[in-house]
């Protein structure tokens, strides 16, 4: 008998009607002869509301308590989903992350899955239950509730599919699959039929929030193929898998946008050993994740060091860096909010030249200034003014022939 893991995101369980729709799908899958494990997210908006509530109650809530609070979102959704299956005449049981045997490390709010002991899931499946597991949560070795970072239900689904050796893992969401760009930004973006783990990983890391990047990382590490598809419409979605030979034929698979960035520049600092280490140690000390880093060419013994972070971390970064800037006798610290990162991603970049030139040319002709550039083997990313972000994504998407009405890149 086939075992299938189906994950439903927040919008897909956003109302009682949508939960009943999910219950119907789960039952259909079971009737087709499958054992079914469902991974469910909190109803749309619930996690955001809980975070807001926590911040209104306490300026700096303890992360342990934040996890205890956030986990309730998924717990409500699994109970409702199991009720809906039962109301349709099926048999379902809801399990919290802990009950499902999901053991994590101790890093509250961003825990990593350490181990899964799915004994109870197997027993329930053997008794023909649909097993409805809370996404985004687990428990640490002390029995405390932990959560897996925003979008973490994707990780629960992929990790469970791996632990249960499932025959298929389907990620149901509110779009038809992974698109060449966020369809909410570029209206003629196209659904991609197949995407390599590495491409999806770069896209997720570059702001395409359709899949949590840690979930894709996990899938890549353990070779877990999965499909991203719509919970609202029938039809095949996007298969994420190990790259195949013909995937390199496509130069650019997708364009990603990340708006919530801030840029910091340590201006006119001595170009000598140890300075960068001091700056970034201070940032690391504050647990702030740094994205792009660019150091300009040294002129007369000084240089500028620029880097980007999430804009929510800007004030904390400034507080950490102000004393360092004085200490290393830099001219100052420049901070810019409201910048965006635009990335083009594709494994075809490895074998096609001229992609950077084409991207820069396209933005240049539109009068969009590039502030920072970074590259990986399969990605080129630029920092631009946030107000240009949507226009830049649309133009880039068009430039690389990704729209629904063109088939292949024109060059
Ligand atoms: P869920 O609640 O199902 O986990 P998310 O909101 O986390 O769903 O992710 C789905 C959303 O991701 C879509 O509604 C879409 O706006 C956004 N998105 C961003 N980039 C892409 C992309 N390249 N392809 C598809 N969706 C994308
Ligand atoms: N509810 C969590 C979040 O909003 C986890 C998820 O939806 O995947 O981040
Ligand atoms: Mg999500």
């Amino acid at each position: 008998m086939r075992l299938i893991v189906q994950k439903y995101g927040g919008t897909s369980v956003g109302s009682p009607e949508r939960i009943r729709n999910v219950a119907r799908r789960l039952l259909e899958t079971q009737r087709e002869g499958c054992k079914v494990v469902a991974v469910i997210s909190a109803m749309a908006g619930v996690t955001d509301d809980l975070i807001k509530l926590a911040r209104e109650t306490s300026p700096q809530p303890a992360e342990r308590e934040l996890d205890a609070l956030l986990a309730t979102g998924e717990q409500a959704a699994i109970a409702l989903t199991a009720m809906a299956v039962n109301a349709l005449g099926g048999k379902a049981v809801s399990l919290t992350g802990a009950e499902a045997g999901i053991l994590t490390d101790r890093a509250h709010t961003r825990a990593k899955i350490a181990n899964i002991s799915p004994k109870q899931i197997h027993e329930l499946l053997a008794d023909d239950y649909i097993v409805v597991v809370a996404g985004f949560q687990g428990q640490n070795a002390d029995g405390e509730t932990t959560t897996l970072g925003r979008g973490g239900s994707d990780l629960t689904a992929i990790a469970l599919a791996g632990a249960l050796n499932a025959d298929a893992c389907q990620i149901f969401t509110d779009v038809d699959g992974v698109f060449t760009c966020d369809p909410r930004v570029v209206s003629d973006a196209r659904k991609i039929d197949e995407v390599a783990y590495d491409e999806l990983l770069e896209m997720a890391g570059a702001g395409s929030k359709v899949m949590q990047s840690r979930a894709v990382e996990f899938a890549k590490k353990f070779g877990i193929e999965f499909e991203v598809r719509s919970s609202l419409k029938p039809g095949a979605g996007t298969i994420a898998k190990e790259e195949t030979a013909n995937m390199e034929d496509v130069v650019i698979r997708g364009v990603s946008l990340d708006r919530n960035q801030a840029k910091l520049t340590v201006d006119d600092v001595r170009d000598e050993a140890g300075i960068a280490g001091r700056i970034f140690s201070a940032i690391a000390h504050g647990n702030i994740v740094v994205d792009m880093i660019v150091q300009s060419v040294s002129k007369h013994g000084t240089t500028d060091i620029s880097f980007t972070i999430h804009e929510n971390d800007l004030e904390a970064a400034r507080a950490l860096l102000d004393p360092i800037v004085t200490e290393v006798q830099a001219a100052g610290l420049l901070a810019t909010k409201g910048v965006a990162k635009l990335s083009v991603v594709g494994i075809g970049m490895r074998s096609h030249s001229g992609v950077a030139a084409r991207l820069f040319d396209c933005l240049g002709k539109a009068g969009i200034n590039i502030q920072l550039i970074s590259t990986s083997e399969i990605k080129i990313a630029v920092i631009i003014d946030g107000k240009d972000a949507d226009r830049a994504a649309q133009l880039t998407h068009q430039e690389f022939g990704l729209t629904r009405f063109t088939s292949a890149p024109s060059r």
Side-chain angles (χ1 to χ4, degrees):
M1 208 179 200
R2 272 165 64 77
L3 194 163
I4 191 158
V5 174
Q6 297 189 333
K7 178 254 171 178
Y8 292 89
T11 317
S12 306
V13 292
S15 66
E17 177 47 36
R18 294 228 167 133
I19 292 177
R20 283 196 295 271
N21 171 50
V22 167
R24 274 191 292 272
R25 277 181 173 274
L26 296 174
L27 280 164
E28 264 166 39
T29 311
Q30 192 183 46
R31 282 192 200 114
E32 284 162 10
C34 295
K35 293 178 189 248
V36 184
V37 175
V39 173
I40 306 289
S41 290
M43 294 170 77
V46 166
T47 309
D48 286 341
D49 288 348
L50 289 171
I51 292 174
K52 191 161 159 264
L53 201 56
R55 304 235 181 270
E56 281 167 6
T57 310
S58 149
Q60 274 193 314
E63 289 190 329
R64 180 193 188 281
E65 303 313 326
L66 205 51
D67 274 353
L69 179 71
L70 296 192
T72 64
E74 269 67 15
Q75 279 157 20
I78 51 167
L80 291 166
T81 306
M83 285 176 201
V85 172
N86 294 335
L88 290 170
K91 270 174 50 172
V93 172
S94 67
L95 298 180
T96 62
E99 287 169 337
I102 299 173
L103 192 71
T104 73
D105 63 13
R106 287 190 163 72
H108 281 292
T109 75
R110 51 187 174 281
K112 289 207 179 80
I113 295 179
N115 187 25
I116 300 185
S117 317
K119 187 167 167 280
Q120 204 179 343
I121 298 183
H122 281 303
E123 285 168 5
L124 289 164
L125 288 174
D127 285 341
D128 295 328
Y129 281 98
I130 291 175
V131 183
V132 185
V133 179
F136 176 58
Q137 58 175 265
Q139 99 177 331
N140 65 21
D142 296 329
E144 295 167 320
T145 300
T146 49
T147 64
L148 310 176
R150 296 307 305 267
S153 300
D154 294 336
L155 177 58
T156 307
I158 302 280
L160 269 181
L164 296 166
N165 203 8
D167 297 287
C169 178
Q170 297 174 320
I171 308 288
F172 285 91
T173 184
D174 56 1
V175 284
D176 298 351
V178 179
F179 279 67
T180 48
C181 191
D182 187 342
R184 292 179 212 286
V185 176
V186 174
S187 57
D188 58 1
R190 192 167 45 170
K191 189 188 79 188
I192 303 168
D193 293 332
E194 287 187 344
V195 65
Y197 295 131
D198 281 332
E199 290 173 324
L200 190 52
L201 200 52
E202 288 280 20
M203 286 170 76
S208 292
K209 71 157 192 167
V210 61
M211 279 295 294
Q212 190 207 32
S213 42
R214 287 171 67 182
V216 185
E217 215 165 44
F218 196 101
K220 175 178 153 68
K221 190 165 168 194
F222 296 101
I224 301 159
E225 264 190 39
F226 62 92
E227 181 185 8
V228 180
R229 55 187 290 169
S230 170
S231 67
L232 310 169
K233 285 198 243 161
T238 303
I239 305 286
K241 58 184 205 180
E242 203 52 71
E243 73 176 83
T244 52
N246 63 353
M247 282 184 176
E248 276 207 12
D249 296 346
V250 177
V251 187
I252 299 300
R253 186 81 55 199
V255 175
S256 302
L257 207 53
D258 195 345
R259 285 171 224 278
N260 308 311
Q261 303 277 299
K263 184 179 78 169
L264 286 153
T265 301
V266 181
D267 186 28
D268 219 5
V269 63
R270 286 195 314 281
D271 186 18
E272 58 186 48
I275 301 275
R278 288 200 16 224
I279 293 169
F280 291 103
S281 298
I283 294 287
H285 195 66
N287 269 330
I288 295 171
V289 178
V290 174
D291 187 5
M292 280 188 202
I293 303 176
V294 175
Q295 178 171 331
S296 67
V297 174
S298 170
K299 287 174 291 186
H300 319 297
T302 66
T303 184
D304 297 337
I305 300 177
S306 297
F307 59 96
T308 59
I309 55 175
H310 195 282
E311 69 178 4
N312 290 351
D313 292 329
L314 184 58
E315 289 322 311
R318 229 201 285 249
L320 289 165
L321 283 180
D322 276 338
I324 308 277
V325 165
T326 315
E327 204 183 298
V328 299
Q329 295 165 348
L333 180 69
L334 314 173
T336 321
K337 250 187 164 173
V339 295
K341 180 173 69 168
L342 173 95
S343 309
V344 294
V345 174
I347 51 179
M349 239 184 254
R350 291 194 206 119
S351 48
H352 293 77
S353 59
V355 178
R358 213 166 144 187
L359 171 66
F360 302 159
D361 223 33
C362 164
L363 297 176
K365 280 189 189 129
I368 296 169
N369 184 40
I370 298 170
Q371 304 179 18
L372 296 179
I373 300 169
S374 85
T375 59
S376 80
E377 203 191 4
I378 64 163
K379 181 186 75 179
I380 302 172
V382 295
I383 292 291
I384 55 176
D385 194 322
K387 70 174 168 32
D388 295 326
D390 283 10
R391 194 163 58 96
Q394 283 151 10
L395 289 168
T396 308
H397 192 263
Q398 215 166 22
E399 170 62 29
F400 288 99
L402 297 175
T403 58
R404 241 184 290 160
F405 310 108
T406 51
S407 49
S410 53
R411 269 183 266 169

